[in-house]
């Protein structure tokens, strides 16, 4: 009877729980569906130099916008350019995106120089805000271009001798080396292909690469480089409404007038990696890495220059995309673990442990920076492992500091301050009658000793100095 009553009460409790949970679940589901059905435009920001962090942010942003059901993605661009590999990653993501992409150079005063021009040409719709510019898309190396040798014509030409008024300016000289010609021609073919795909001005695109030409927003609209000049994002959505764009193999008519704007800001991890991958910072990291390894080579065992140099060089290789994200992150994690383990065995005074901790944290952030479900690691876990590693390093430093304060217990230095027993009277030794020689017993061993001539057998002494096989002793004072 009691079992039946308990079973009935349990069923009632389960029923009440389900009756309370199910409406909440259905309510949450309907609310989620309501949110998902609201049409929206996702805004991604490209602000600053384009590097690996920027490309991953844009690629993940396009994927997230597609999963969220966004009808349009707006790339709000203000960039001086960036790495070619990162730019091409972004362009590949735009070309493969099933969601139309609008590149919008904004706000007023912004620019889409160099790599930004290629991205604008690759987008389904190109737009600019007033008082913005684009162009200067000539590829250059990280260290800059060498100064060309002056030709005889240039040496003797005066400032006013560039030609008669109204005469067209001289044509741009072709690149001087075969490598430069290959790079420029490849860039020209790339941007011409994008221009032909989107139906934009092909001739000016080539001029932007070969001659580093630039245009203002109004001039770009007149020369059919862009389609829209808009004051802000709402004005942009109004102007592109009803336009037809080619997305993949089909033509899509944009319906953007009623879209809500959802800005997807870069998270702190992307911002941190963007600082590391800034070309100026990356170049500095490369120099620090090279000189750190050189100093370690000239001063073996210094530890600190080698630790700093190795970490900085790996970060520079990641920033320049010489090492991919996976390899750079894995190398930093492995390096960090190795340094923390080496701290137990090498006298590095904490430089190996601290450097290993930094390498492990940065490598974890790089390696597991992904939006793939099940492939990311929670930041608290990385923080917990780093905290444990930091506590281990602090513990090692504490033990080492304590051992330095303890007296030496081995070797000759460990004998100083210990007591020894006189086994025979000390005899005076000329020329100083106060100094004597004798023998003492120390830890069961007989030693020749020198000290006060008044020392007698059975008297306890203290060792004050060791010279070879002779102990210098003095009478042990009673407390």
């Amino acid at each position: 009877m009691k079992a039946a009553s308990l079973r009935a009460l349990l069923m009632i409790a389960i029923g009440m729980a389900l009756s309370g949970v199910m409406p909440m679940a259905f309510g949450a589901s309907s609310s989620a569906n309501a949110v998902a059905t609201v049409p929206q435009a996702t805004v991604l920001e490209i602000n600053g130099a384009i590097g690996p962090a920027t490309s991953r942010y844009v690629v993940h942003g396009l994927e997230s916008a597609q999963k969220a059901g966004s009808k349009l993605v707006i790339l709000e661009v203000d960039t001086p350019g960036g790495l070619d590999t990162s730019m091409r990653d972004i362009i590949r993501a735009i070309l493969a995106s099933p969601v139309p992409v609008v590149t919008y150079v904004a706000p007023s005063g912004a620019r889409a120089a160099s790599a930004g021009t290629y991205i604008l040409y690759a987008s389904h719709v190109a737009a600019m805000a007033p008082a913005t510019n684009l162009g200067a898309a000539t590829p250059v190396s990280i260290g800059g271009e060498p100064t060309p040798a002056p030709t005889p014509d240039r040496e003797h030409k005066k400032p006013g001798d560039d030609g008669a008024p109204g005469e067209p300016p001289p044509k741009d000289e072709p690149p001087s080396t075969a490598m430069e010609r290959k790079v420029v021609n490849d860039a020209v073919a790339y941007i011409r292909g994008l221009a032909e795909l989107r139906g934009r001005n092909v001739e000016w695109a080539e001029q932007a690469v070969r001659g580093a030409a630039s245009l203002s927003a109004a001039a770009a609209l007149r020369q059919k480089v862009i389609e829209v000049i808009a004051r802000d994002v709402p004005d942009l959505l109004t102007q592109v409404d009803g336009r037809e764009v080619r997305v993949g193999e089909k033509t899509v008519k944009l319906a953007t007038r009623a879209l809500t704007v959802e800005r997807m800001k870069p998270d702190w991890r992307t911002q941190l990696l963007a600082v590391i991958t800034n070309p100026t910072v990356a170049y500095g990291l490369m120099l620090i890495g090279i000189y750190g390894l050189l100093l370690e080579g000239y001063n073996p065992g210094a530890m600190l220059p080698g630790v700093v140099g190795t970490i900085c060089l790996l970060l520079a290789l990641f920033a320049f995309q010489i090492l991919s994200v996976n390899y750079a992150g894995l190398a930093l994690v492995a390096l960090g673990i190795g340094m923390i383990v080496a701290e137990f065995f090498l006298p590095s005074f904490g430089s190996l442990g601290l450097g290993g901790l930094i390498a492990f944290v940065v490598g974890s952030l790089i390696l597991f920076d992904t939006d793939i479900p099940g492939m990311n690691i929670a930041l608290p876990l990385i923080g917990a492992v780093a905290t444990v590693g930091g506590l281990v390093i602090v513990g090692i430093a504490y033990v080492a500091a304590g051992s330095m304060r303890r007296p030496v217990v081995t070797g000759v230095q460990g004998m100083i301050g210990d007591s020894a027993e006189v086994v025979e009277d000390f005899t005076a030794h000329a020329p100083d009658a106060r100094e004597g020689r004798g023998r003492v017993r120390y830890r069961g061993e007989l030693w020749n000793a020198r000290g006060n001539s008044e020392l007698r057998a059975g008297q306890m002494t203290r060792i004050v100095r060791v010279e070879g096989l002779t102990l210098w002793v003095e009478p042990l004072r009673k407390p």
Side-chain angles (χ1 to χ4, degrees):
M1 194 65 184
K2 291 182 178 179
S5 301
L6 290 174
R7 189 179 298 110
L9 290 174
L10 181 60
M11 294 299 295
I12 293 173
I14 293 174
M16 293 176 63
L18 290 176
S19 63
V21 170
M22 294 302 289
M24 294 176 61
F26 282 117
S29 176
S30 60
S31 175
N33 291 334
V35 173
T37 55
V38 175
Q40 66 178 20
T42 302
V43 178
L44 305 176
E45 299 178 1
I46 300 180
N47 191 3
I50 296 173
T54 308
S55 65
R56 290 178 66 79
Y57 159 69
V58 173
V59 171
H60 292 168
L62 291 174
E63 293 174 354
S64 300
Q66 178 187 354
K67 294 175 182 176
S70 296
K71 302 300 182 182
L72 187 72
V73 174
I74 300 174
L75 295 182
E76 198 169 271
V77 175
D78 181 10
T79 178
L83 296 179
D84 177 77
T85 50
S86 300
M87 173 199 74
R88 289 176 184 260
D89 289 342
I90 294 175
I91 291 176
R92 279 194 292 268
I94 292 174
L95 297 180
S97 174
V99 181
V101 178
V102 177
T103 294
Y104 178 42
V105 186
S108 295
R111 57 179 170 169
S114 192
T117 302
Y118 292 82
I119 294 173
L120 183 138
Y121 261 84
S123 302
H124 301 89
V125 179
M128 300 175 69
T132 57
N133 64 280
L134 81 161
T138 305
V140 295
S141 60
I142 293 292
E145 295 294 332
T147 303
T151 60
D153 293 339
R154 287 184 177 180
E155 289 179 354
H156 301 289
K157 189 175 288 187
K158 297 181 181 179
D161 294 342
D162 287 336
E167 186 178 339
K171 295 183 179 180
D172 298 309
E173 295 184 359
S176 57
T177 66
M179 179 59 68
E180 291 177 0
R181 288 195 297 271
K182 290 175 64 176
V183 172
V184 170
N185 289 336
D186 176 72
V188 168
Y190 190 54
I191 199 168
R192 285 182 67 94
L194 297 175
E196 292 169 357
L197 176 67
R198 302 304 184 195
R200 299 194 177 101
N201 192 325
V202 177
E203 288 72 18
W204 185 87
E206 181 173 350
Q207 187 181 358
V209 176
R210 295 193 184 277
S214 297
L215 286 177
S216 64
L221 183 63
R222 287 197 302 269
Q223 297 195 30
K224 297 183 179 180
V225 175
I226 63 173
E227 289 81 37
V228 175
I229 295 180
R231 298 184 306 274
D232 49 27
V233 173
D235 185 27
L236 174 65
L237 294 177
T238 301
Q239 293 196 46
V240 300
D241 183 62
R243 287 180 176 269
E244 292 185 351
V245 296
R246 188 76 176 175
V247 180
E249 299 298 328
K250 59 182 180 179
T251 301
V252 177
K253 186 175 182 179
L254 301 179
T256 59
R257 189 179 298 271
L259 296 181
T260 60
V261 177
E262 180 70 23
R263 288 188 174 269
M264 189 179 296
K265 295 282 187 178
D267 58 2
W268 67 269
R269 180 166 51 187
T270 301
Q271 294 175 353
L272 175 63
L273 295 180
V275 172
I276 295 176
T277 56
N278 183 284
T280 303
V281 176
Y283 189 69
L285 289 173
M286 183 181 67
L287 293 180
I288 294 173
I290 293 173
Y291 284 112
L293 294 180
L294 286 176
L295 288 175
E296 183 66 29
Y298 291 138
N299 302 277
M303 296 294 179
L304 184 60
V307 170
V308 174
T310 304
I311 295 175
C312 290
L313 193 58
L314 284 175
L315 289 176
L317 293 177
F318 161 69
F320 292 137
Q321 286 197 332
I322 298 174
L323 278 180
S324 66
V325 174
N326 295 335
Y327 289 122
L330 185 60
L332 284 170
V333 170
L335 177 67
I337 295 175
M339 287 182 175
I340 293 175
V341 173
E343 181 68 28
F344 286 91
F345 305 101
L346 298 177
S348 64
F349 303 100
S351 59
L352 278 175
L354 183 59
L357 191 63
I358 294 173
F360 175 79
V361 172
V362 177
S364 300
L365 293 177
I366 295 174
L367 182 61
F368 299 108
D369 181 20
T370 177
D371 291 335
I372 302 176
M375 294 298 292
N376 54 351
I377 292 182
L379 292 179
L381 178 59
I382 298 176
V385 175
T387 302
V388 172
L391 292 176
V392 170
I393 295 170
V394 171
I396 294 173
Y398 178 78
V399 172
S403 64
M404 294 177 65
R405 291 192 294 266
R406 295 173 186 168
V408 181
V409 295
T410 59
V412 173
Q413 295 297 325
M415 299 172 64
I416 298 175
D418 279 3
S419 59
E421 181 184 1
V422 179
V423 297
E424 62 181 28
D425 296 345
F426 275 43
T427 58
H429 178 66
D432 188 356
R434 290 177 298 177
E435 181 180 324
R437 293 182 177 181
R439 304 181 76 185
V440 298
R441 180 180 287 109
Y442 173 70
R443 294 186 178 180
E445 301 173 346
L446 294 178
W447 288 74
N448 293 326
R450 301 179 67 175
N452 196 314
S453 60
E454 299 179 355
L455 291 173
R456 296 294 178 260
Q459 187 174 351
M460 299 302 296
T461 61
R462 187 174 70 89
I463 301 172
V464 295
R465 195 168 71 216
V466 180
E467 291 185 357
L469 298 177
T470 302
L471 304 181
W472 291 77
V473 297
E474 64 180 9
L476 186 63
R477 296 179 178 86
K478 297 181 180 181

